[in-house]
Amino acid sequence: MEQRVKQHLCRVYGLGMADVDELFVLARHTVASTLNRLQEASERSDAHETADAGHMLKGALFNMGLAELGEMARELELAGKAGRMQDARTVYAGLLAALKNL
């Protein structure tokens, strides 16, 4: 997955590999911290925070060229907005599994 993201960043943003490597580290940090926010929001059953963090994750994933995971984050965001925390938890679990190797 790392190589796929780096190729996307290079192609779409026209960056050199040094910049791509730096951007990838920042993106991976954003994803990890947002997943932590989602875990905490889930534990508190905080639908508003779930929607907000889901929105942030969605943007990060789309910017990284991970559209299918971005769509999952969109589902999570919408579940949070609707207060459907069990649905949000299910989507979160899928995202967590998909992103474990990032």
Side-chain angles (χ1 to χ4, degrees):
M1 183 181 302
E2 178 177 344
Q3 191 61 31
R4 176 179 163 197
V5 170
K6 286 182 176 182
Q7 288 173 345
H8 170 81
L9 295 173
C10 189
R11 183 179 63 252
V12 171
Y13 298 105
L15 301 172
M17 283 312 293
D19 291 330
V20 165
D21 288 339
E22 184 178 336
L23 189 55
F24 178 77
V25 168
L26 291 171
R28 187 170 53 194
H29 175 73
T30 298
V31 167
S33 66
T34 306
L35 288 171
N36 287 336
R37 279 181 64 195
L38 284 163
Q39 177 64 39
E40 292 169 4
S42 177
E43 290 169 1
R44 293 189 317 272
S45 292
D46 185 336
H48 182 273
E49 179 69 7
T50 297
D52 188 55
H55 179 78
M56 177 178 254
L57 184 60
K58 174 185 72 178
L61 294 171
F62 277 119
N63 286 336
M64 295 169 75
L66 301 172
E68 65 284 352
L69 298 177
E71 289 297 337
M72 288 177 69
R74 181 189 319 270
E75 290 177 33
L76 191 147
E77 176 189 9
L78 294 174
K81 284 182 178 180
R84 297 186 332 264
M85 289 304 296
Q86 189 54 48
D87 291 344
R89 286 181 186 101
T90 300
V91 175
Y92 169 77
L95 281 166
L96 194 59
L99 291 167
K100 70 180 176 188
N101 294 321
L102 182 62

